[in-house]
Amino acid sequence: MAEHLRHGEEALHRVVASDVLAPVHEHLLGVRAADARHPRLGHHPVGAEERRVIHVDELHRRVGKPAQQRVVLVGVRLRIGADAIQQGSHAGHATTAGRIVPGVQAVQFDLADPQFPASLVDVDEPALPGPDWARVEVLTGGICGSDLHLFSHNTGPSPTLYGNVAFPFLLGHEIAGRVVEAGPDCAVRVGARVAVDPCIPCRARGIDPPCANCARGWTSSCLNLDSRVVSPGRSLGFTQGLGGGWAEQVAAHVSMLHPLPDGVPDRAASLHEPVSIAAHGLLRAPPAEGDPVLVVGAGIIGLATLGALRGLFPSHEVTVLARHEHQATAARACGADHVVRPAPDNAHFAELAELSGSRVVGRRGELMLMPGFPYVVEAVGAPQSVTESLRAVAHHGTVLLLGAAGISEVDLTPVWYKEAALVGSIDHTVDAGSAPGLAGGPSRHSVDRALDVLAAGFLPDEVVVTHEFPLDAYRDAVATAIDRGGANAIKVVFRPCG
Ligand SMILES: [Zn+2]
Ligand SMILES: [Zn+2]
């Protein structure tokens, strides 16, 4: 079940019951028997079923969680004739036919080991899907909070990411490395150090004309992320056959490559991804001149937002709400003007009120600021932090959602009561707008802005890259990232070839 898929084959898996991971499978991985009727695959009979019971005891023991949870996975494997899959220069492994392909190591989310949902596997070195692609050896691959959702809790049955993931898939979308092979039409040459934008929108998939959103320049909202052209995965980190950030190598289209400045050392290089998330979000709805900003959360997204604010909007006073002591220390080291620690019964709202010239209304811990901060960045994604952000925003203010909030119960009354705007953002793209800071020029890609922020030292790697692991220590690496409070972890990275 975990083997490398070949051209002309497709594996389908269906989850029937689970305490922990089924919603991830069904709705994030999008693997259901119904996929056998995917138009590109035609109608094919379903083969023999394979049943497995998968315990995630070891993982939960490592992070001190209850051990009884289990997953039941029913895998349905289906062989399909090569003619049933769309042919063309982008078709799977066609380009590897007839030559011996060296293997590389990669961490694969495959549920193959009853002890842990991912495995270290040998896969073919990624083949270039087209002449304008490059093969990159990975120097740094970050572990993202969104990766940890796959290991520690489910994201709920939201349809947003349905069907956007290959299964099994190679992990890691925070990627920096060095080009080791460049196709004839790839302008970035062998030897170049690069940040890799993990998104695979129309242009990278060779889809021409592009979708309506890409045509508008909204490549982070590409309508073809689930097209299954080049890969069934929406982005690197969720694909098979293209390598990944938790792998020795990865393949990327030339449009996904951004030259790394000399001022960004290898161990800091994968930080471009969270900083780019913040930069794109801030330019989706920039704070008005002089507005103080509250950042709720001081994990890597909160700290990356702080760094991006200093690079894009340097004159804005920034208050950071930090849950853990080591996060508070890091926020101060990254230049926060004020750091507030959450207190029982939301007693810290008094401090937030003072910093924003507001008063506190409410009782028994259910508190709100009047008016509040004109600009709030939610950088956690938990229901409490979304509610806290909404209750802290001022009238006619903006709450930017950068944490990957899921299905949850939140207090939405401040949105209408304060006529506030709730703004969403995902991934990376060219933002047409500009900002006053050094990374703020008009019509720049968010990854390039992020690299400027990093090169200027606004997110020092000695502060935020707290742990480095080789690939074969992937279980310890994931456990460390999950246990961030106990391990004092902020950003945990792999150094596959570093
Ligand atoms: Zn990420
Ligand atoms: Zn598109």
Side-chain angles (χ1 to χ4, degrees), residues 144-146 173-174 273 277:
C144 176
S146 65
H173 63 267
E174 301 185 354
E273 207 273 348
I277 292 281

Side-chain angles (χ1 to χ4, degrees), residues 7 21 26 28 86 129 133 180 222 265 276 389 404 406 414 452 470 480 482 487:
H7 180 53
L21 292 172
E26 289 196 4
L28 180 60
Q86 189 184 49
W133 283 65
V180 291
C222 175
S276 171
S389 300
D452 283 355
T480 301
I482 290 174

